[in-house]
Coordinates of all heavy atoms in Angstrom, one line a residue:
M1 N 12.1 -4.0 -3.3 CA 12.8 -4.6 -2.1 C 13.7 -5.7 -2.5 O 13.4 -6.4 -3.5 CB 11.7 -5.0 -1.1 CG 10.9 -3.9 -0.5 SD 9.6 -4.5 0.6 CE 10.6 -4.8 2.0
K2 N 14.7 -6.0 -1.7 CA 15.5 -7.2 -2.0 C 14.9 -8.4 -1.3 O 14.6 -8.3 -0.1 CB 16.9 -6.9 -1.4 CG 17.7 -5.8 -2.2 CD 19.1 -5.7 -1.6 CE 19.8 -4.6 -2.3 NZ 21.1 -4.4 -1.8
T3 N 14.8 -9.5 -2.0 CA 14.2 -10.7 -1.4 C 15.1 -11.2 -0.3 O 14.6 -12.0 0.5 CB 13.9 -11.7 -2.5 OG1 15.2 -12.1 -3.1 CG2 12.9 -11.3 -3.5
S4 N 16.3 -10.8 -0.3 CA 17.2 -11.3 0.8 C 17.0 -10.6 2.1 O 17.4 -11.0 3.2 CB 18.7 -11.2 0.4 OG 19.0 -9.9 0.1
D5 N 16.3 -9.4 2.1 CA 16.0 -8.6 3.3 C 14.9 -9.3 4.1 O 13.9 -9.7 3.6 CB 15.6 -7.2 2.9 CG 16.7 -6.3 2.4 OD1 17.9 -6.7 2.6 OD2 16.4 -5.3 1.9
E6 N 15.2 -9.3 5.4 CA 14.2 -9.9 6.3 C 12.9 -9.2 6.2 O 11.8 -9.8 6.3 CB 14.7 -10.0 7.7 CG 13.8 -10.7 8.7 CD 14.3 -10.8 10.1 OE1 15.2 -10.0 10.4 OE2 13.9 -11.7 10.8
A7 N 13.0 -7.8 6.1 CA 11.7 -7.0 6.1 C 10.9 -7.4 4.9 O 9.6 -7.5 5.0 CB 12.1 -5.5 6.0
Y8 N 11.5 -7.7 3.7 CA 10.8 -8.2 2.5 C 10.1 -9.5 2.8 O 8.9 -9.6 2.5 CB 11.7 -8.3 1.3 CG 11.0 -9.0 0.2 CD1 10.2 -8.3 -0.7 CD2 11.1 -10.4 0.0 CE1 9.6 -8.9 -1.7 CE2 10.4 -11.0 -1.0 CZ 9.7 -10.3 -1.9 OH 9.0 -10.9 -2.9
R9 N 10.8 -10.4 3.4 CA 10.2 -11.7 3.7 C 9.0 -11.6 4.6 O 8.0 -12.3 4.4 CB 11.3 -12.7 4.2 CG 12.4 -13.0 3.1 CD 13.3 -14.1 3.5 NE 13.9 -14.0 4.8 CZ 15.0 -13.4 5.1 NH1 15.7 -12.8 4.1 NH2 15.5 -13.4 6.3
I10 N 9.2 -10.8 5.7 CA 8.1 -10.7 6.6 C 6.9 -10.0 6.0 O 5.8 -10.5 6.1 CB 8.6 -9.8 7.8 CG1 9.6 -10.6 8.7 CG2 7.4 -9.4 8.7 CD1 10.3 -9.7 9.7
M11 N 7.1 -8.9 5.3 CA 6.0 -8.2 4.6 C 5.3 -9.0 3.5 O 4.1 -9.1 3.4 CB 6.5 -6.9 4.1 CG 6.9 -5.9 5.2 SD 5.5 -5.5 6.3 CE 4.4 -4.6 5.1
S12 N 6.2 -9.7 2.7 CA 5.6 -10.5 1.6 C 4.8 -11.7 2.1 O 3.7 -12.0 1.5 CB 6.7 -10.9 0.6 OG 7.5 -11.9 1.3
R13 N 5.2 -12.3 3.2 CA 4.4 -13.4 3.7 C 3.1 -12.9 4.3 O 2.1 -13.6 4.1 CB 5.3 -14.1 4.8 CG 6.4 -14.9 4.1 CD 7.4 -15.5 5.2 NE 8.5 -16.1 4.5 CZ 9.7 -16.1 4.9 NH1 10.0 -15.6 6.1 NH2 10.7 -16.7 4.3
R14 N 3.2 -11.8 5.0 CA 2.0 -11.3 5.7 C 1.0 -10.7 4.7 O -0.2 -11.0 4.7 CB 2.4 -10.2 6.7 CG 1.2 -9.3 7.1 CD 0.8 -9.6 8.5 NE -0.3 -8.7 8.8 CZ -0.7 -8.4 10.0 NH1 0.0 -8.8 11.0 NH2 -1.7 -7.6 10.2
I15 N 1.6 -9.9 3.8 CA 0.7 -9.2 2.8 C 0.4 -10.0 1.6 O -0.7 -10.4 1.3 CB 1.3 -7.8 2.5 CG1 1.6 -7.0 3.7 CG2 0.4 -7.0 1.5 CD1 0.4 -6.6 4.6
L16 N 1.5 -10.2 0.8 CA 1.3 -10.9 -0.5 C 0.8 -12.3 -0.4 O 0.0 -12.8 -1.2 CB 2.6 -10.9 -1.3 CG 3.1 -9.5 -1.7 CD1 4.4 -9.6 -2.5 CD2 2.1 -8.7 -2.5
G17 N 1.1 -13.0 0.7 CA 0.7 -14.3 0.9 C -0.8 -14.4 1.1 O -1.4 -15.5 1.0
S18 N -1.5 -13.3 1.4 CA -2.9 -13.4 1.7 C -3.7 -12.8 0.6 O -5.0 -12.7 0.7 CB -3.2 -12.6 3.0 OG -3.0 -11.2 2.9
V19 N -3.1 -12.3 -0.5 CA -3.9 -11.6 -1.5 C -4.9 -12.4 -2.2 O -4.6 -13.6 -2.5 CB -2.9 -11.0 -2.6 CG1 -3.7 -10.4 -3.7 CG2 -2.0 -9.9 -1.9
Q20 N -6.1 -11.9 -2.3 CA -7.2 -12.5 -3.0 C -7.7 -11.6 -4.1 O -8.2 -10.5 -3.7 CB -8.3 -12.9 -2.0 CG -9.5 -13.5 -2.6 CD -10.6 -13.7 -1.6 OE1 -10.4 -13.5 -0.4 NE2 -11.8 -14.1 -2.0
E21 N -7.7 -11.9 -5.3 CA -8.3 -11.1 -6.4 C -9.8 -11.4 -6.4 O -10.2 -12.5 -6.3 CB -7.7 -11.5 -7.7 CG -8.1 -10.6 -8.8 CD -7.4 -10.9 -10.1 OE1 -6.3 -11.4 -10.1 OE2 -7.9 -10.5 -11.2
V22 N -10.6 -10.3 -6.5 CA -12.0 -10.4 -6.3 C -12.8 -9.7 -7.4 O -12.4 -8.7 -7.9 CB -12.4 -9.8 -4.9 CG1 -13.9 -9.8 -4.7 CG2 -11.8 -10.5 -3.8
E23 N -13.9 -10.3 -7.7 CA -14.9 -9.6 -8.6 C -16.3 -9.8 -7.9 O -16.5 -10.7 -7.2 CB -14.9 -10.2 -10.0 CG -13.7 -10.0 -10.8 CD -13.7 -10.6 -12.2 OE1 -14.8 -11.0 -12.6 OE2 -12.7 -10.7 -12.8
I24 N -17.1 -8.8 -8.1 CA -18.5 -8.9 -7.6 C -19.3 -9.8 -8.4 O -19.3 -9.8 -9.6 CB -19.1 -7.4 -7.6 CG1 -18.3 -6.5 -6.8 CG2 -20.6 -7.5 -7.1 CD1 -18.3 -6.7 -5.3
D25 N -20.1 -10.7 -7.7 CA -21.0 -11.6 -8.5 C -22.3 -10.9 -8.9 O -22.5 -9.7 -8.7 CB -21.2 -12.9 -7.7 CG -22.2 -12.7 -6.4 OD1 -22.8 -11.6 -6.3 OD2 -22.2 -13.6 -5.6
A26 N -23.1 -11.7 -9.6 CA -24.4 -11.1 -10.2 C -25.3 -10.5 -9.1 O -26.1 -9.7 -9.4 CB -25.1 -12.2 -11.0
Q27 N -25.2 -11.0 -7.8 CA -26.0 -10.5 -6.7 C -25.4 -9.4 -6.0 O -25.8 -8.9 -5.0 CB -26.3 -11.7 -5.7 CG -27.3 -12.7 -6.2 CD -26.7 -13.7 -7.2 OE1 -25.5 -14.1 -7.0 NE2 -27.4 -14.0 -8.2
G28 N -24.2 -8.9 -6.5 CA -23.5 -7.8 -5.9 C -22.7 -8.2 -4.7 O -22.3 -7.3 -3.9
R29 N -22.3 -9.5 -4.6 CA -21.6 -10.0 -3.4 C -20.1 -10.3 -3.8 O -19.8 -10.5 -5.0 CB -22.2 -11.2 -2.9 CG -23.6 -11.1 -2.4 CD -24.2 -12.4 -2.1 NE -24.1 -13.4 -3.2 CZ -24.7 -14.5 -3.3 NH1 -25.4 -15.0 -2.2 NH2 -24.6 -15.3 -4.3
L30 N -19.3 -10.3 -2.8 CA -17.9 -10.9 -3.0 C -17.7 -12.0 -2.0 O -18.4 -12.0 -0.9 CB -16.9 -9.8 -2.9 CG -16.8 -9.1 -1.5 CD1 -15.6 -9.7 -0.7 CD2 -16.6 -7.6 -1.6
S31 N -16.8 -12.9 -2.3 CA -16.5 -14.0 -1.3 C -15.2 -13.7 -0.7 O -14.2 -13.4 -1.4 CB -16.5 -15.3 -2.1 OG -17.8 -15.6 -2.5
I32 N -15.1 -13.8 0.6 CA -13.9 -13.6 1.3 C -13.3 -14.9 1.7 O -14.1 -15.8 2.3 CB -14.1 -12.7 2.6 CG1 -14.7 -11.3 2.1 CG2 -12.8 -12.5 3.4 CD1 -15.1 -10.5 3.3
S33 N -12.1 -15.2 1.4 CA -11.5 -16.5 1.7 C -11.5 -16.8 3.2 O -11.5 -16.0 4.1 CB -10.0 -16.5 1.2 OG -9.2 -15.7 2.1
P34 N -11.6 -18.2 3.5 CA -11.6 -18.6 4.9 C -10.3 -18.0 5.7 O -10.5 -17.6 6.8 CB -11.5 -20.1 4.9 CG -12.2 -20.4 3.5 CD -11.7 -19.3 2.6
T35 N -9.2 -18.0 5.0 CA -8.0 -17.4 5.7 C -8.2 -16.0 6.1 O -7.8 -15.6 7.2 CB -6.8 -17.5 4.7 OG1 -6.6 -18.9 4.3 CG2 -5.5 -17.0 5.3
L36 N -8.7 -15.2 5.2 CA -8.9 -13.8 5.6 C -10.0 -13.6 6.6 O -9.9 -12.8 7.5 CB -9.2 -12.9 4.4 CG -8.0 -12.7 3.4 CD1 -8.5 -12.0 2.1 CD2 -6.9 -12.0 4.1
R37 N -11.1 -14.4 6.5 CA -12.1 -14.3 7.5 C -11.6 -14.7 8.9 O -12.0 -14.0 9.9 CB -13.3 -15.2 7.1 CG -14.0 -14.8 5.9 CD -15.3 -15.5 5.6 NE -15.4 -16.9 5.9 CZ -15.4 -17.9 5.0 NH1 -15.2 -17.6 3.7 NH2 -15.5 -19.1 5.3
E38 N -10.8 -15.7 9.0 CA -10.3 -16.2 10.2 C -9.3 -15.1 10.8 O -9.3 -14.8 12.0 CB -9.5 -17.5 10.1 CG -9.0 -18.1 11.3 CD -8.4 -19.5 11.1 OE1 -9.0 -20.3 10.4 OE2 -7.3 -19.7 11.6
F39 N -8.5 -14.6 9.9 CA -7.5 -13.5 10.4 C -8.2 -12.3 11.0 O -7.8 -11.9 12.1 CB -6.7 -13.1 9.2 CG -5.8 -11.8 9.5 CD1 -4.7 -11.9 10.2 CD2 -6.3 -10.6 9.0 CE1 -3.9 -10.8 10.5 CE2 -5.5 -9.4 9.3 CZ -4.4 -9.5 10.1
A40 N -9.3 -11.9 10.4 CA -10.0 -10.7 10.8 C -11.1 -11.0 11.9 O -11.7 -10.1 12.4 CB -10.7 -10.0 9.7
K41 N -11.2 -12.3 12.2 CA -12.2 -12.7 13.2 C -13.6 -12.4 12.9 O -14.4 -12.0 13.8 CB -11.8 -12.2 14.6 CG -10.4 -12.6 15.1 CD -10.1 -12.1 16.5 CE -8.7 -12.5 16.9 NZ -8.4 -12.0 18.2
F42 N -14.0 -12.4 11.6 CA -15.3 -12.1 11.2 C -16.3 -13.0 11.8 O -16.1 -14.2 11.8 CB -15.4 -12.1 9.7 CG -14.7 -11.0 8.9 CD1 -14.4 -11.2 7.6 CD2 -14.4 -9.8 9.6 CE1 -13.8 -10.2 6.9 CE2 -13.8 -8.8 8.9 CZ -13.5 -9.0 7.5
K43 N -17.4 -12.4 12.3 CA -18.5 -13.2 12.8 C -19.7 -12.9 11.9 O -19.8 -13.5 10.8 CB -18.8 -12.8 14.3 CG -17.7 -13.3 15.2 CD -18.1 -12.9 16.6 CE -17.1 -12.1 17.4 NZ -16.1 -11.2 17.0
E44 N -20.6 -12.0 12.3 CA -21.8 -11.7 11.5 C -21.8 -10.4 10.9 O -22.2 -10.2 9.7 CB -23.0 -11.9 12.3 CG -23.7 -13.2 12.3 CD -25.0 -13.2 13.1 OE1 -25.9 -12.4 12.8 OE2 -25.1 -14.1 14.0

């Protein structure tokens, strides 16, 4: 995509701006960032 395209800017901010690289810890868990938890309205 061209960075000058508005579609690129919208998508990159929404998608790429939220990317979190994850690995599973020794207990088999992953940690989800506060930004993503808030976005998805995670409760319990």
Side-chain angles (χ1 to χ4, degrees):
M1 297 175 76
K2 293 182 180 181
T3 57
S4 60
D5 287 347
E6 185 177 24
Y8 170 84
R9 294 192 309 273
I10 291 168
M11 293 299 293
S12 66
R13 290 171 184 148
R14 163 110 182 202
I15 305 295
L16 295 180
S18 70
V19 171
Q20 177 188 352
E21 188 173 335
V22 176
E23 292 182 14
I24 301 292
D25 70 14
Q27 286 78 38
R29 302 173 301 190
L30 65 101
S31 292
I32 302 172
S33 72
T35 301
L36 290 175
R37 292 192 321 256
E38 186 176 309
F39 170 77
K41 301 181 180 183
F42 288 159
K43 293 182 234 22
E44 267 183 56

